[in-house]
Amino acid sequence: MKTRAQLHGVAVPSIVVRIAVPMECVLGNRVLFGFEVLMILAISIQLALWFRPEPHSDWAYYWAAAGDVTRYERGGLSLWLLAIPKALGWSPLASALALNCLAALLLLCSSRALDPTAARWFGLLVALYLLLITPFFSIVQLDMLAAAQLAVGVWLLASPPSRWSRRFTFFVAAVMIAAGVSTKPQYALTLWAMLGLFVAAWLVLKRRMHPFLPILFAVLLAGSVTGFTIDLGLRALSGRSEAIRTNSAVTLYSGLLVSGTGPRCGYWSAGAAEAAKADLSKPLHHAVLDRLAQKPPTHWISVIGCKLPEIFRPGPYALYWLVESPNIRTRIDADPRRTEIDAAYRRALWWESHAYSALTLSILAMAAFTCIAMWRNAPLLALLPVLWITSFWVVHIVFEIQGRYFLGIFLLVPLLCSIALRVPRGVCGQISPKY
């Protein structure tokens, strides 16, 4: 039996040939896609109508600041998307549901558009992840919008529509990436870490770079720098430039500088927020060095070691953020059936935790499989999903950890796996050696 074969003119392991099929850049099985969309929409809407969470904490800030430039501290361009339904008089719940359902649809479309597997396994994993986090759709958060914007940007780079010029497509892709980064500046750090890791891999492997990769990283770099600049510019425009120290820099204090080694190490804490405010009079690099000098290197190594399990296997978050909304928790506490409700809630958390672990491990395994399958033919392309995962891990070794911060790993890995399998011979008719 042959161990290698030709897939779109590229020699690949025969196992890849058995799962991949020639196809155009379309959604593929429309019945399955329609079922996925219907299930996600139905469950998210039902949960929203049943629980009706009200904005609190960060979510309350997003709702209050949407459309008000004077209150801007974070949220980027997506904050202005949230301002649209708010200006139309929609409730926070309806606005969150509409934007998060739109984000889910964009993520589903982009993941399935490039999926090279006959059974659409890559797209199915994205659909399952979205199904698992449907409780998060009711929350006024921008995490899903940021991930969707990045996904659309990467999809446009990998399969620019033939009816558009390539330059215009690259411009739109850069705009989408900039929007995602402005919404969640942590993505800028992740993309820059990914670029650094890629350059290091290129220098070590000394392999010829596929023509698609310089374009990909050039647009990612341009979009990330632009998005980061937009966020800084909006802070300056609102007169809240210090918010980068009192909000964004708190993730550094929580993740390392003020973190202990006990339970919930690396998570947000009130002490970290207070420490960031106390250091406002110092330049950030001086404040960081002073904090690091206060304890021996062994302490910082212990903190990082404490965080690693949560970094490698972040926990679920969707059901927690829904049920623990103050108005919902107040209702539960006042209910005569509180004991029964809490017991059911704990059982639901148990099932969510196990389903989440199985699904996220499957996605990580898919990245490893893609890397192994394509290594001999296009090692630098094969590394894309692995470097994306690794860059998240590297960034969060020093920055705050929280389950929802890792949402971008699992929603974009299937898309990057598709690119690694499809790009070498331009399955979509756009990416080719002559590119």
Side-chain angles (χ1 to χ4, degrees), residues 251-269:
T251 62
L252 177 58
Y253 282 76
S254 299
L256 184 65
L257 300 181
V258 189
S259 176
T261 56
R264 297 189 64 79
C265 54
Y267 280 77
W268 184 90
S269 68

PDB file of all heavy atoms in Angstrom, residues 251-269:
ATOM      1  N   THR A 251      -3.473  43.204  33.922  1.00  0.00           N
ATOM      2  CA  THR A 251      -3.314  41.804  33.525  1.00  0.00           C
ATOM      3  C   THR A 251      -1.893  41.317  33.781  1.00  0.00           C
ATOM      4  O   THR A 251      -1.683  40.132  34.054  1.00  0.00           O
ATOM      5  CB  THR A 251      -3.674  41.613  32.036  1.00  0.00           C
ATOM      6  OG1 THR A 251      -2.775  42.378  31.219  1.00  0.00           O
ATOM      7  CG2 THR A 251      -5.096  42.058  31.756  1.00  0.00           C
ATOM      8  N   LEU A 252      -0.922  42.221  33.696  1.00  0.00           N
ATOM      9  CA  LEU A 252       0.469  41.861  34.005  1.00  0.00           C
ATOM     10  C   LEU A 252       0.658  41.695  35.512  1.00  0.00           C
ATOM     11  O   LEU A 252       1.325  40.760  35.971  1.00  0.00           O
ATOM     12  CB  LEU A 252       1.416  42.920  33.460  1.00  0.00           C
ATOM     13  CG  LEU A 252       2.912  42.741  33.769  1.00  0.00           C
ATOM     14  CD1 LEU A 252       3.421  41.409  33.246  1.00  0.00           C
ATOM     15  CD2 LEU A 252       3.717  43.899  33.171  1.00  0.00           C
ATOM     16  N   TYR A 253       0.062  42.587  36.286  1.00  0.00           N
ATOM     17  CA  TYR A 253       0.159  42.485  37.737  1.00  0.00           C
ATOM     18  C   TYR A 253      -0.548  41.222  38.233  1.00  0.00           C
ATOM     19  O   TYR A 253      -0.029  40.508  39.099  1.00  0.00           O
ATOM     20  CB  TYR A 253      -0.442  43.724  38.395  1.00  0.00           C
ATOM     21  CG  TYR A 253       0.458  44.933  38.353  1.00  0.00           C
ATOM     22  CD1 TYR A 253       0.622  45.681  37.184  1.00  0.00           C
ATOM     23  CD2 TYR A 253       1.168  45.329  39.473  1.00  0.00           C
ATOM     24  CE1 TYR A 253       1.447  46.787  37.130  1.00  0.00           C
ATOM     25  CE2 TYR A 253       2.006  46.440  39.449  1.00  0.00           C
ATOM     26  CZ  TYR A 253       2.144  47.162  38.262  1.00  0.00           C
ATOM     27  OH  TYR A 253       2.978  48.250  38.226  1.00  0.00           O
ATOM     28  N   SER A 254      -1.729  40.958  37.705  1.00  0.00           N
ATOM     29  CA  SER A 254      -2.479  39.765  38.123  1.00  0.00           C
ATOM     30  C   SER A 254      -1.766  38.489  37.682  1.00  0.00           C
ATOM     31  O   SER A 254      -1.733  37.503  38.419  1.00  0.00           O
ATOM     32  CB  SER A 254      -3.892  39.792  37.528  1.00  0.00           C
ATOM     33  OG  SER A 254      -4.616  40.909  37.972  1.00  0.00           O
ATOM     34  N   GLY A 255      -1.222  38.530  36.469  1.00  0.00           N
ATOM     35  CA  GLY A 255      -0.626  37.326  35.916  1.00  0.00           C
ATOM     36  C   GLY A 255       0.721  36.955  36.490  1.00  0.00           C
ATOM     37  O   GLY A 255       1.093  35.780  36.500  1.00  0.00           O
ATOM     38  N   LEU A 256       1.467  37.954  37.003  1.00  0.00           N
ATOM     39  CA  LEU A 256       2.809  37.643  37.491  1.00  0.00           C
ATOM     40  C   LEU A 256       3.216  38.487  38.696  1.00  0.00           C
ATOM     41  O   LEU A 256       3.535  37.951  39.755  1.00  0.00           O
ATOM     42  CB  LEU A 256       3.827  37.828  36.360  1.00  0.00           C
ATOM     43  CG  LEU A 256       5.279  37.458  36.692  1.00  0.00           C
ATOM     44  CD1 LEU A 256       5.402  35.963  36.962  1.00  0.00           C
ATOM     45  CD2 LEU A 256       6.211  37.876  35.557  1.00  0.00           C
ATOM     46  N   LEU A 257       3.211  39.803  38.542  1.00  0.00           N
ATOM     47  CA  LEU A 257       3.891  40.675  39.494  1.00  0.00           C
ATOM     48  C   LEU A 257       3.320  40.630  40.905  1.00  0.00           C
ATOM     49  O   LEU A 257       4.045  40.859  41.879  1.00  0.00           O
ATOM     50  CB  LEU A 257       3.864  42.124  38.974  1.00  0.00           C
ATOM     51  CG  LEU A 257       4.529  42.369  37.612  1.00  0.00           C
ATOM     52  CD1 LEU A 257       4.448  43.835  37.233  1.00  0.00           C
ATOM     53  CD2 LEU A 257       5.973  41.887  37.629  1.00  0.00           C
ATOM     54  N   VAL A 258       2.013  40.368  41.046  1.00  0.00           N
ATOM     55  CA  VAL A 258       1.393  40.319  42.366  1.00  0.00           C
ATOM     56  C   VAL A 258       0.765  38.947  42.622  1.00  0.00           C
ATOM     57  O   VAL A 258       0.103  38.736  43.621  1.00  0.00           O
ATOM     58  CB  VAL A 258       0.334  41.438  42.510  1.00  0.00           C
ATOM     59  CG1 VAL A 258      -0.174  41.551  43.942  1.00  0.00           C
ATOM     60  CG2 VAL A 258       0.913  42.789  42.098  1.00  0.00           C
ATOM     61  N   SER A 259       1.003  38.021  41.743  1.00  0.00           N
ATOM     62  CA  SER A 259       0.381  36.708  41.873  1.00  0.00           C
ATOM     63  C   SER A 259       1.103  35.864  42.908  1.00  0.00           C
ATOM     64  O   SER A 259       2.333  35.891  43.026  1.00  0.00           O
ATOM     65  CB  SER A 259       0.392  35.976  40.527  1.00  0.00           C
ATOM     66  OG  SER A 259      -0.123  34.661  40.661  1.00  0.00           O
ATOM     67  N   GLY A 260       0.318  35.088  43.657  1.00  0.00           N
ATOM     68  CA  GLY A 260       0.890  34.112  44.567  1.00  0.00           C
ATOM     69  C   GLY A 260       0.980  32.753  43.885  1.00  0.00           C
ATOM     70  O   GLY A 260       0.852  32.637  42.663  1.00  0.00           O
ATOM     71  N   THR A 261       1.171  31.722  44.690  1.00  0.00           N
ATOM     72  CA  THR A 261       1.281  30.368  44.139  1.00  0.00           C
ATOM     73  C   THR A 261       0.175  29.464  44.664  1.00  0.00           C
ATOM     74  O   THR A 261       0.228  28.249  44.514  1.00  0.00           O
ATOM     75  CB  THR A 261       2.649  29.758  44.500  1.00  0.00           C
ATOM     76  OG1 THR A 261       2.826  29.792  45.923  1.00  0.00           O
ATOM     77  CG2 THR A 261       3.780  30.521  43.844  1.00  0.00           C
ATOM     78  N   GLY A 262      -0.833  30.062  45.267  1.00  0.00           N
ATOM     79  CA  GLY A 262      -1.942  29.284  45.798  1.00  0.00           C
ATOM     80  C   GLY A 262      -3.044  29.109  44.775  1.00  0.00           C
ATOM     81  O   GLY A 262      -2.841  29.320  43.566  1.00  0.00           O
ATOM     82  N   PRO A 263      -4.239  28.740  45.231  1.00  0.00           N
ATOM     83  CA  PRO A 263      -5.378  28.589  44.323  1.00  0.00           C
ATOM     84  C   PRO A 263      -5.643  29.880  43.539  1.00  0.00           C
ATOM     85  O   PRO A 263      -5.481  30.977  44.067  1.00  0.00           O
ATOM     86  CB  PRO A 263      -6.541  28.264  45.270  1.00  0.00           C
ATOM     87  CG  PRO A 263      -5.879  27.692  46.490  1.00  0.00           C
ATOM     88  CD  PRO A 263      -4.576  28.422  46.620  1.00  0.00           C
ATOM     89  N   ARG A 264      -6.022  29.703  42.288  1.00  0.00           N
ATOM     90  CA  ARG A 264      -6.336  30.816  41.379  1.00  0.00           C
ATOM     91  C   ARG A 264      -5.130  31.724  41.140  1.00  0.00           C
ATOM     92  O   ARG A 264      -5.272  32.933  40.932  1.00  0.00           O
ATOM     93  CB  ARG A 264      -7.528  31.628  41.905  1.00  0.00           C
ATOM     94  CG  ARG A 264      -8.809  30.812  41.976  1.00  0.00           C
ATOM     95  CD  ARG A 264     -10.008  31.662  42.291  1.00  0.00           C
ATOM     96  NE  ARG A 264     -10.294  32.626  41.249  1.00  0.00           N
ATOM     97  CZ  ARG A 264     -10.909  32.349  40.107  1.00  0.00           C
ATOM     98  NH1 ARG A 264     -11.278  31.113  39.829  1.00  0.00           N
ATOM     99  NH2 ARG A 264     -11.134  33.297  39.224  1.00  0.00           N
ATOM    100  N   CYS A 265      -3.941  31.151  41.166  1.00  0.00           N
ATOM    101  CA  CYS A 265      -2.753  31.933  40.833  1.00  0.00           C
ATOM    102  C   CYS A 265      -2.849  32.388  39.380  1.00  0.00           C
ATOM    103  O   CYS A 265      -3.255  31.636  38.500  1.00  0.00           O
ATOM    104  CB  CYS A 265      -1.486  31.099  41.034  1.00  0.00           C
ATOM    105  SG  CYS A 265      -1.465  29.516  40.167  1.00  0.00           S
ATOM    106  N   GLY A 266      -2.490  33.645  39.150  1.00  0.00           N
ATOM    107  CA  GLY A 266      -2.523  34.199  37.804  1.00  0.00           C
ATOM    108  C   GLY A 266      -3.849  34.794  37.393  1.00  0.00           C
ATOM    109  O   GLY A 266      -3.943  35.403  36.323  1.00  0.00           O
ATOM    110  N   TYR A 267      -4.879  34.640  38.230  1.00  0.00           N
ATOM    111  CA  TYR A 267      -6.186  35.221  37.933  1.00  0.00           C
ATOM    112  C   TYR A 267      -6.245  36.663  38.444  1.00  0.00           C
ATOM    113  O   TYR A 267      -5.404  37.091  39.245  1.00  0.00           O
ATOM    114  CB  TYR A 267      -7.308  34.403  38.576  1.00  0.00           C
ATOM    115  CG  TYR A 267      -7.686  33.167  37.798  1.00  0.00           C
ATOM    116  CD1 TYR A 267      -6.892  32.024  37.840  1.00  0.00           C
ATOM    117  CD2 TYR A 267      -8.833  33.135  37.013  1.00  0.00           C
ATOM    118  CE1 TYR A 267      -7.233  30.882  37.122  1.00  0.00           C
ATOM    119  CE2 TYR A 267      -9.190  32.006  36.289  1.00  0.00           C
ATOM    120  CZ  TYR A 267      -8.386  30.882  36.358  1.00  0.00           C
ATOM    121  OH  TYR A 267      -8.725  29.760  35.637  1.00  0.00           O
ATOM    122  N   TRP A 268      -7.258  37.389  37.998  1.00  0.00           N
ATOM    123  CA  TRP A 268      -7.437  38.779  38.441  1.00  0.00           C
ATOM    124  C   TRP A 268      -7.646  38.806  39.950  1.00  0.00           C
ATOM    125  O   TRP A 268      -8.278  37.932  40.539  1.00  0.00           O
ATOM    126  CB  TRP A 268      -8.642  39.408  37.748  1.00  0.00           C
ATOM    127  CG  TRP A 268      -8.825  40.861  38.099  1.00  0.00           C
ATOM    128  CD1 TRP A 268      -8.299  41.939  37.452  1.00  0.00           C
ATOM    129  CD2 TRP A 268      -9.580  41.402  39.200  1.00  0.00           C
ATOM    130  NE1 TRP A 268      -8.668  43.108  38.079  1.00  0.00           N
ATOM    131  CE2 TRP A 268      -9.454  42.804  39.150  1.00  0.00           C
ATOM    132  CE3 TRP A 268     -10.329  40.820  40.227  1.00  0.00           C
ATOM    133  CZ2 TRP A 268     -10.078  43.640  40.073  1.00  0.00           C
ATOM    134  CZ3 TRP A 268     -10.937  41.651  41.165  1.00  0.00           C
ATOM    135  CH2 TRP A 268     -10.807  43.052  41.076  1.00  0.00           C
ATOM    136  N   SER A 269      -7.126  39.861  40.569  1.00  0.00           N
ATOM    137  CA  SER A 269      -7.355  40.052  41.997  1.00  0.00           C
ATOM    138  C   SER A 269      -7.431  41.546  42.285  1.00  0.00           C
ATOM    139  O   SER A 269      -6.844  42.367  41.572  1.00  0.00           O
ATOM    140  CB  SER A 269      -6.225  39.426  42.825  1.00  0.00           C
ATOM    141  OG  SER A 269      -5.003  40.127  42.641  1.00  0.00           O
TER     142      SER A 269
END
